[in-house]
């Protein structure tokens, strides 16, 4: 690539002691080590009211979209709530669209207080594909989340390695649009009401 790779992580957890945020920071550190510039979009810092198609620029939606449009790769991180991803992340995705995600490499990371957050990852993958993004085959599932972090750091070496691999792969496969054989040719569609 001729310019710096931009990797943006979106944290779908609003909790102060968020395992999702810890894991995303680790992912971004690995992306930086691989040569990327990184940004953490912490949804606690954004005013995003429930999405209303009649007011798509409500609150901080324009600022959110601007951050995402800069990205060559985006990692979406979420806690699993009731078998799916979090409502703050859903709202952020509702305010976004093809302009932010089409032909963008996307990594997925989900955290659960119990068993593997498989369904949350499946749901995020479906949303990424609906936005014509390019989700990486590698994703990160963090079960039993409160056992995984001590003093703000991931403690299990194999988990740290997987999170680091996600950060590295985001950089390696960033800016998929530069590969014409794989880039999408679909036209962007507005939100349906």
């Amino acid at each position: 690539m001729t310019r710096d790779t931009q990797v943006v992580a979106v944290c779908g957890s609003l909790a102060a002691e968020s395992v999702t945020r810890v894991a995303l920071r680790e992912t971004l550190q690995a992306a930086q080590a691989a040569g990327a510039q990184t940004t953490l979009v912490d949804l606690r810092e954004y005013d995003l009211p429930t999405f209303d198609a009649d007011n798509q620029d409500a609150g901080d939606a324009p600022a959110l979209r601007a951050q995402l449009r800069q990205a060559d790769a985006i990692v979406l991180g979420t806690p699993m709530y009731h078998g799916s991803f979090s409502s703050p992340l859903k709202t952020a995705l509702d305010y976004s669209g093809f302009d932010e995600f089409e032909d963008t490499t996307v990594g997925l990371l989900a955290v659960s207080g119990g068993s593997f957050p498989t369904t949350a990852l499946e749901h995020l993958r479906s949303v990424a594909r609906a936005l014509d993004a390019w989700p990486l085959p590698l994703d990160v599932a963090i079960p039993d989340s409160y056992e995984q972090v001590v003093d703000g750091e991931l403690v299990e070496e194999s988990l740290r390695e997987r999170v680091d691999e996600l950060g590295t792969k985001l950089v390696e496969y960033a800016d998929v649009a530069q590969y014409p054989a794989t880039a999408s040719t679909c036209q962007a569609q507005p939100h349906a009401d």
Side-chain angles (χ1 to χ4, degrees):
M1 250 180 256
T2 58
R3 65 181 183 86
D4 292 328
T5 300
Q6 303 287 329
V7 177
V8 172
V10 181
C11 183
S13 173
L14 302 185
E17 300 294 323
S18 169
V19 175
T20 304
R21 194 172 298 105
V22 169
L24 287 174
R25 284 186 176 135
E26 176 80 20
T27 303
L28 291 178
Q29 287 174 359
Q32 283 180 327
Q37 293 184 1
T38 63
T39 302
L40 176 64
V41 171
D42 189 338
L43 294 179
R44 293 181 308 169
E45 300 169 2
Y46 285 74
D47 171 30
L48 295 174
T50 301
F51 180 73
D52 176 354
D54 291 332
N55 188 9
Q56 296 185 26
D57 289 332
D60 293 328
L64 170 69
R65 288 192 300 265
Q67 285 284 0
L68 295 175
R69 278 193 300 272
Q70 293 179 37
D72 299 300
I74 297 170
V75 56
L76 301 174
T78 185
M80 184 169 77
Y81 294 149
H82 304 303
S84 192
F85 57 97
S86 70
S87 59
L89 184 55
K90 174 68 167 103
T91 299
L93 292 169
D94 287 345
Y95 278 109
S96 306
F98 292 96
D99 289 344
E100 291 73 39
F101 282 94
E102 186 174 21
D103 294 332
T104 300
T105 304
V106 173
L108 306 174
L109 183 148
V111 171
S112 172
S115 63
F116 279 84
T118 306
T119 53
L121 290 167
E122 291 170 351
H123 296 169
L124 276 178
R125 185 170 299 279
S126 293
V127 170
R129 292 180 65 172
L131 291 169
D132 289 334
W134 290 87
L136 293 172
L138 170 74
D139 51 32
V140 174
I142 303 176
D144 303 317
S145 60
Y146 295 103
E147 299 174 9
Q148 305 298 340
V149 173
V150 173
D151 296 329
E153 301 287 330
L154 296 172
V155 292
E156 185 181 317
E157 184 176 347
S158 64
L159 179 58
R160 274 196 323 272
E161 288 172 357
R162 189 162 178 85
V163 168
D164 290 348
E165 183 181 4
L166 180 62
T168 302
K169 294 290 185 193
L170 283 162
V171 177
E172 185 177 350
Y173 294 102
D175 195 19
V176 72
Q178 73 176 325
Y179 306 107
T182 58
S184 170
T185 57
C186 296
Q187 296 293 320
Q189 301 295 319
H191 284 283
D193 292 326

